[in-house]
Amino acid sequence: MPQDEPLTVRHQPWTAPLRRPRMSNDEDNRPGIALTSRYLVRDGSPVIPVSGEMHYSRVPRDRWAERLRQMRAGGVTVVASYVFWLHHVEHRGEPRFDGNLDVGAFVDACADAGLDIILRIGPWVHSESRNGGFPDWVQQAPVRHRTDDPAYLELVREWFGQLAAQVAGRELLGIQIENELYTEPGHILTLKRMAREAGLSAPLWTATAWDSAELPPEEVLPLYGGYGDGFWVDAEADWAPTFRDHYFFSHVWDDPGIGADVRRAQNIAAAQGGPRVPSDLFPPATCELAGGMGTAYHRRPRPSGLDTATVGHTKIGNGSAWQGYYMYAGGTNPHGDHGMQESHATGYPNDMQRLGYDFHAPLGEAGLASAAYELLRRQHAFLAAFGPALAEMPSTLPDQRPAGVEDTTTLRWALRSDGTSGFVFIAWHQPHFPLATYRGAQFRLSLDRGVVTFPSRPVDIPYGTLARWPVGIHGLSYATASALTVLPGAVPTLVLTAEEGIPVEVGVGPEVLDISPGLAPTRLETADGPLDLLVLDPAAAATAWVDGDRLLLSADELFWGPDGKVTARASGTPRVRVYDPAARTFTDLPLAPPPGPTGTATLDAVLVRPAATVPVEYGKHDGRQSAPSRATFAELAAVHRLDLPSWADDPGLDAHLDIAWVGDVAELHIDGKVATDRFWDGARWQINLRDAGYRPGSEVTLHILPLATVSAVHLPTDARDRLLSAEGQLLSIDDIQLIGRRTWHEAA
């Protein structure tokens, strides 16, 4: 179809009647919760939950409340967490539930933050944890693991009993059984029965469904995933179709690429025709959309914030009834007797970082927000405001669709509509292979109420555009700006965000209006009554936060608890503006200043010991390069001392290091103990000093291993270019910033 003709779609209604499965309705009831074949119901209204993965055992306990508030401010409504058998019972007969292993206290902390929780109890969970989360004594037991072998079930029964005692009397929204188990539906059912017998209960029971996993019918809600890149493929592998798929709109939810390396290493048989698409009994839901991506030694993807946001955006357009991100908040592995991470030593195909589990997540290992956090925050505000209506809208794909994952010319878009109103979703972004500007886009939607053609003049869609344009919403025929939220009032305020390079056009009945984005609303008279239309420009949209019925603008980090009181964290003096719908303007939100100044300093790295010459590689396993052993790293790495200013240990100042470095592997040591580590991928490395164990007078050293210029590890393009420009081996510390932030609270 020539691009100068409209892009067409004909709304398709639901193909099956609304059904109510047994789960949460006839069994495991919880007041206010009900599941249908299309969506989850909360207190009588459809909702589209947003779940974010945070592992309590990888985050200091004194950070839980703060991290949960950050997640809530990012639009997360449900916390998901693996429960690592390995972390809790490293030695049989010595279960630990103290400190940041106190799972009961974590469930309470989620409730205090106004968040639901799903525990992913395994018993095999993976998450790049040693033995997939089995303690060594379980891994070495003479049993047939992950089957109904009575000897194995007896070990699991012991563990489930220990776990159930810790969460007794607490409300869980969901429980995931096992993880990436493909051909044992009977075993999944056995584990569910055992968990219930132990006293674990939740209205939702879930299981991962990717790679056509065979699941017990009606017993578990199938959950899907989607990663736009992955560390688990070979270093020399191209950008795989299973990754590329997620930058297109589709009604196939299965991803056969997730966990493929584990299946290959363990000779796990392929499933036989499991749920590639959701059944008529359950809605399409995810638990592992890419919140980022982990880093293996041999392959080091570095997704951008826009990469991450595009995957989430396409799933909403595909008809998602539940957005679940892995990871949403990164962390740090416990040390353990033999390490807690998967590695070549455990038979895993990929050597992982021993401690650091940043995952390039929206909230990284140091608790700092990434670019993905801001972009996803806007998507989640949209779901909070429009989710009840959107949940009733099936997804329809357009008449002209891309021919395959290598099609870079056909516009990628979809419609969600109930036949009267809806949203057009556009995703014109992918990593690695940039797309050209799409020229002359105009849309013709055939709805039950008639045909809607917009905009009045075709527009160009720049590369990098993610859009969710409303149609028939709040009295508007359409708008070429993305829906964000609605603020209540005598005259409601519909808040939209403009796309970079796309003019904002709004249809109101037969009238077509050109709107200039800004901080002042436009009063419209619609068929539904008066409406204030507030269209934020891209710069203002990047600073937008939605707290219930409040719209806030701030370039600094904001978060809040159930009381709604705003907290700002900044290295300077934050400015927070709040929109007043009655006054139709933004005003400054008063903040109470904390005691003491903030601080920022550039640090010098004092060379203590130079690096030695490194080899091209440190061995291989399953054809993939191995990371250096701890002894080899200690022998060959350069050592630098970091002298920190006195204010670094100010208890009221949350200080972190921001390090630009190049090399291969790095470790930060506090008083001679490894606090965290990193494989170089070109990204800056952020480390929270308090979380790393820094105390007044601590010695801080940075240890960096060079990378041989002929190394075959896979790096992002810019990092690879820098490596190739070096002679022999690459090691540099480009810049180290020490940044202290203080917390400001909304004045009473």
Side-chain angles (χ1 to χ4, degrees), residues 1-8 409-413 424 426 428 437-444 453-462 465 469 480 502-503 505:
M1 177 187 296
Q3 291 183 358
D4 57 359
E5 294 184 14
L7 301 161
T8 61
T409 59
T410 305
L411 190 67
R412 304 166 189 180
W413 67 288
V424 167
I426 302 170
W428 198 234
T437 296
Y438 185 91
R439 303 291 180 183
Q442 189 179 42
F443 302 88
R444 181 177 294 158
T453 301
F454 78 101
S456 62
R457 302 175 299 277
V459 296
D460 295 342
I461 309 293
T465 297
W469 291 348
T480 58
I502 300 179
E505 183 180 286

Side-chain angles (χ1 to χ4, degrees), residues 641-661:
R641 188 183 74 249
L642 306 184
D643 295 325
L644 276 57
S646 59
W647 55 261
D649 53 39
D650 183 337
L653 191 66
D654 202 27
H656 68 270
L657 295 171
D658 190 308
I659 306 172
W661 68 288

Side-chain angles (χ1 to χ4, degrees), residues 42-81:
R42 293 297 305 260
D43 300 323
S45 177
V47 294
I48 299 181
V50 176
S51 59
E53 191 90 8
M54 170 187 164
H55 299 150
Y56 59 90
S57 56
R58 283 171 163 161
V59 176
R61 181 168 179 164
D62 64 0
R63 290 287 186 184
W64 287 352
E66 173 188 297
R67 203 71 86 244
L68 293 170
R69 292 178 71 192
Q70 290 175 294
M71 294 176 74
R72 180 185 171 104
V76 170
T77 61
V78 182
V79 177
S81 181

Side-chain angles (χ1 to χ4, degrees), residues 166-219:
Q166 297 299 314
V167 298
R170 296 172 169 89
E171 287 191 344
L172 308 178
L173 177 61
I175 296 172
Q176 177 180 305
I177 295 296
E178 254 289 338
N179 189 57
E180 297 177 354
L181 189 63
Y182 305 101
T183 60
E184 295 283 347
H187 179 54
I188 290 176
L189 185 57
T190 296
L191 292 175
K192 177 182 175 182
R193 173 182 54 78
M194 290 173 58
R196 296 178 73 180
E197 289 174 353
L200 292 164
S201 176
L204 303 179
W205 293 84
T206 73
T208 53
W210 47 80
D211 198 32
S212 303
E214 298 167 20
L215 303 177
E218 301 190 38
E219 295 290 344

Side-chain angles (χ1 to χ4, degrees), residues 415-438:
L415 170 71
R416 285 189 72 167
S417 173
D418 57 9
T420 300
S421 59
F423 298 89
V424 167
F425 292 85
I426 302 170
W428 198 234
H429 171 78
Q430 65 181 24
H432 307 305
F433 299 96
L435 306 170
T437 296
Y438 185 91

Side-chain angles (χ1 to χ4, degrees), residues 157-516:
R157 185 173 289 107
E158 178 182 312
W159 164 233
F160 278 2
Q162 292 166 341
L163 174 59
Q166 297 299 314
V167 298
R170 296 172 169 89
E171 287 191 344
L172 308 178
L173 177 61
I175 296 172
Q176 177 180 305
I177 295 296
E178 254 289 338
N179 189 57
E180 297 177 354
L181 189 63
Y182 305 101
T183 60
E184 295 283 347
H187 179 54
I188 290 176
L189 185 57
T190 296
L191 292 175
K192 177 182 175 182
R193 173 182 54 78
M194 290 173 58
R196 296 178 73 180
E197 289 174 353
L200 292 164
S201 176
L204 303 179
W205 293 84
T206 73
T208 53
W210 47 80
D211 198 32
S212 303
E214 298 167 20
L215 303 177
E218 301 190 38
E219 295 290 344
V220 289
L221 169 65
L223 296 180
Y224 296 89
Y227 292 96
D229 210 334
F231 63 78
W232 50 80
V233 298
D234 291 336
E236 67 276 8
D238 293 330
W239 189 35
T242 57
F243 298 141
R244 301 177 74 145
D245 273 342
H246 299 294
Y247 293 90
F248 294 79
F249 294 98
S250 166
H251 289 163
V252 175
W253 289 81
D254 192 18
D255 184 337
I258 306 175
D261 56 337
V262 176
R263 294 194 298 276
R264 183 182 70 178
Q266 299 180 358
N267 289 317
I268 297 175
Q272 302 295 319
R276 287 188 57 79
V277 296
S279 71
D280 289 342
L281 196 63
F282 295 113
T286 58
C287 63
E288 288 199 22
L289 297 180
M293 180 45 56
T295 309
Y297 182 77
H298 77 284
R299 188 177 179 94
R300 310 175 186 187
R302 194 188 73 224
S304 72
L306 190 56
D307 295 345
T308 297
T310 304
V311 173
H313 180 79
T314 59
K315 300 309 174 189
I316 300 173
N318 292 350
S320 174
W322 188 309
Q323 294 285 96
Y325 297 93
Y326 186 98
M327 293 289 296
Y328 191 88
T332 309
N333 285 321
H335 282 264
D337 290 348
H338 306 290
M340 293 289 193
Q341 89 292 359
E342 283 278 44
S343 66
H344 288 172
T346 66
Y348 186 57
N350 315 299
D351 256 341
M352 309 302 296
Q353 293 160 147
R354 189 162 63 93
L355 295 173
Y357 201 73
D358 178 85
F359 215 82
H360 299 99
L363 294 170
E365 180 183 11
L368 299 173
S370 71
Y373 181 85
E374 176 258 310
L375 292 167
L376 292 176
R377 186 175 76 225
R378 283 190 264 162
Q379 293 182 18
H380 303 160
F382 163 75
L383 292 176
F386 299 99
L390 191 71
E392 301 275 15
M393 297 177 177
S395 168
T396 303
L397 301 178
D399 296 325
Q400 185 187 33
R401 298 192 287 276
V405 295
E406 299 201 7
D407 186 335
T408 59
T409 59
T410 305
L411 190 67
R412 304 166 189 180
W413 67 288
L415 170 71
R416 285 189 72 167
S417 173
D418 57 9
T420 300
S421 59
F423 298 89
V424 167
F425 292 85
I426 302 170
W428 198 234
H429 171 78
Q430 65 181 24
H432 307 305
F433 299 96
L435 306 170
T437 296
Y438 185 91
R439 303 291 180 183
Q442 189 179 42
F443 302 88
R444 181 177 294 158
L445 317 180
S446 296
L447 306 178
D448 295 345
R449 65 178 174 90
V451 176
V452 178
T453 301
F454 78 101
S456 62
R457 302 175 299 277
V459 296
D460 295 342
I461 309 293
Y463 173 57
T465 297
L466 300 183
R468 46 187 182 275
W469 291 348
V471 176
I473 300 295
H474 282 275
L476 302 185
S477 299
Y478 63 84
T480 58
S482 290
L484 180 68
T485 192
V486 178
L487 306 177
V491 175
T493 302
L494 174 62
V495 184
L496 308 180
T497 60
E499 270 64 67
E500 191 72 55
I502 300 179
V504 179
E505 183 180 286
V506 175
V508 185
E511 190 177 6
V512 174
L513 304 174
D514 294 321
I515 303 292
S516 296

